Amino acid sequence: MKRPLNKDHHMTTVGFIGLGSMGMPMARNLLAKGFAVQGFDVRGESVRGLETVGGTGASSAAAAAAGADALVLMVVNAAQADAVLFADGALEALPAGAAVILMATCPPGAVADLAGRVEAAGRRFVDAPVSGGMVGAVAGTLSIMAAADAGTVERVRPILAAMGDKVFHVGETPGQGATVKTVNQLLCGVHIAVVAEAFALAAKAGVDLDILLEIMSGSSASSWMLKDRGPRMLEAEPEITSAVDIFVKDLGIVLEAGRDAKAALPLAAVAHQMFLATSGRGEGGMDDSQVIRSYHAVNGTASGTAGGRH
């Protein structure tokens, strides 16, 4: 049974565009907290899936935005956000004064540009990328990095809090949330790549990687990514939680942000090349831990060498 609308919600109707592996559970969490959700996705089965859990399916992006208090965009990139808002008519359909909440990972400069155009059209804009992946989306435990003026952030906070348990106001200017997310992805991507590099050295020397993983996980060399991705690096075909191609895209955004800021990011650049090499061999859809395959390729070691699990 759907819960009644919470009388404390400043907003109740949320348009939602992008019902993918993260977007769908985020929309479900909004429904569970009593928001009315009208959603659209280019995949018809995703729209029908939203309807089965109590949401309203929309026939277009503009229909999802019509009459909404806020419009959440969980699309692939900035180009998709631009197309949805302008070419597909979602911004025009959104009531004056309503908020566009961009939650996709996008370059800071592109976000700032979108925000300017949205605000010029008389709507509010919240730059609110997320961290926590599919697991966090399902559990409602995403970290949300919101950038907009304080009044707008407070106005949409109930919506954000329905999808994430850590809502940070990181700045007054759209683009600052994207910058925080970009820094996050720099660290995540480099951490994964350097775990793979360390394992590759051990494999080349014939060290048992299971034992290495156990030692490193309990030492000062450990990291969250080592503990999470390390075990999957030892599997031949691990379950996919986040694909190699996500880091091809996100580290590309990191390098673009570095170029715009004239900040040298040599470690991010090398990590990006290793993910790119993995994708270039046709393995971009595999779990991002499989960037280790690029190290095996350049070092002449077999996947799962030296005690790895198959």
Side-chain angles (χ1 to χ4, degrees):
M1 188 175 78
K2 275 179 73 174
R3 294 186 200 174
L5 291 175
N6 182 334
K7 67 182 186 318
D8 294 328
H9 286 166
H10 297 184
M11 304 175 166
T12 53
T13 303
V14 180
F16 203 109
I17 298 173
L19 300 167
S21 59
M22 287 189 66
M24 181 64 86
M26 291 163 72
R28 289 182 69 147
N29 284 332
L30 285 166
L31 288 165
K33 292 289 169 64
F35 290 96
V37 178
Q38 46 197 43
F40 175 72
D41 193 281
V42 290
R43 298 172 298 256
E45 63 269 22
S46 296
V47 177
R48 291 188 290 275
L50 180 69
E51 292 174 336
T52 64
V53 294
T56 301
S59 58
S60 67
D69 298 296
L71 179 66
V72 173
L73 302 182
M74 196 60 195
V75 292
V76 172
N77 52 31
Q80 264 195 16
D82 189 300
V84 161
L85 289 171
F86 301 102
D88 299 344
L91 185 63
E92 191 178 347
L94 192 67
V100 172
I101 306 174
L102 179 60
M103 305 191 80
T105 300
C106 302
V111 172
D113 176 64
L114 279 173
R117 292 160 68 199
V118 167
E119 288 166 354
R123 278 76 169 178
R124 298 166 185 257
F125 189 96
V126 183
D127 168 25
V130 303
S131 178
M134 194 169 66
V135 173
V138 172
T141 57
L142 293 169
S143 293
I144 300 174
M145 297 151 263
D149 66 88
T152 298
V153 171
E154 287 314 302
R155 192 160 171 256
V156 303
R157 188 177 288 274
I159 290 174
L160 301 179
M163 296 180 282
D165 62 354
K166 296 171 287 293
V167 179
F168 300 99
H169 185 197
V170 300
E172 297 277 321
T173 308
Q176 290 175 316
T179 298
V180 175
K181 171 67 174 182
T182 298
V183 171
N184 183 82
Q185 295 309 89
L186 186 162
L187 284 165
C188 289
V190 169
H191 282 180
I192 294 170
V194 80
V195 170
E197 184 164 304
F199 281 16
L201 172 59
K204 189 75 171 177
V207 172
D208 185 304
L209 295 185
D210 288 299
I211 293 172
L212 181 82
L213 175 62
E214 185 178 351
I215 295 167
M216 294 299 108
S217 295
S219 81
S220 57
S222 186
S223 68
W224 192 94
M225 281 299 188
L226 171 73
K227 292 178 182 176
D228 187 77
R229 299 307 202 269
R232 295 210 293 279
M233 287 185 185
L234 308 190
E235 297 176 26
E237 299 283 342
E239 181 185 353
I240 300 160
T241 62
S242 179
V244 166
D245 278 342
I246 297 291
F247 273 106
V248 172
K249 174 178 82 81
D250 287 2
L251 285 173
I253 289 171
V254 167
L255 296 178
E256 182 179 328
R259 194 163 58 243
D260 289 348
K262 291 189 167 52
L265 307 173
L267 294 179
V270 173
H272 186 238
Q273 291 296 307
M274 298 308 285
F275 283 102
L276 200 57
T278 313
S279 183
R281 288 194 311 276
E283 296 168 344
M286 298 196 75
D287 187 72
D288 58 27
S289 62
Q290 295 309 293
V291 71
I292 195 169
R293 290 173 176 230
S294 288
Y295 284 96
H296 287 315
V298 296
N299 287 312
T301 48
S303 182
T305 294
R309 295 184 291 278
H310 297 276

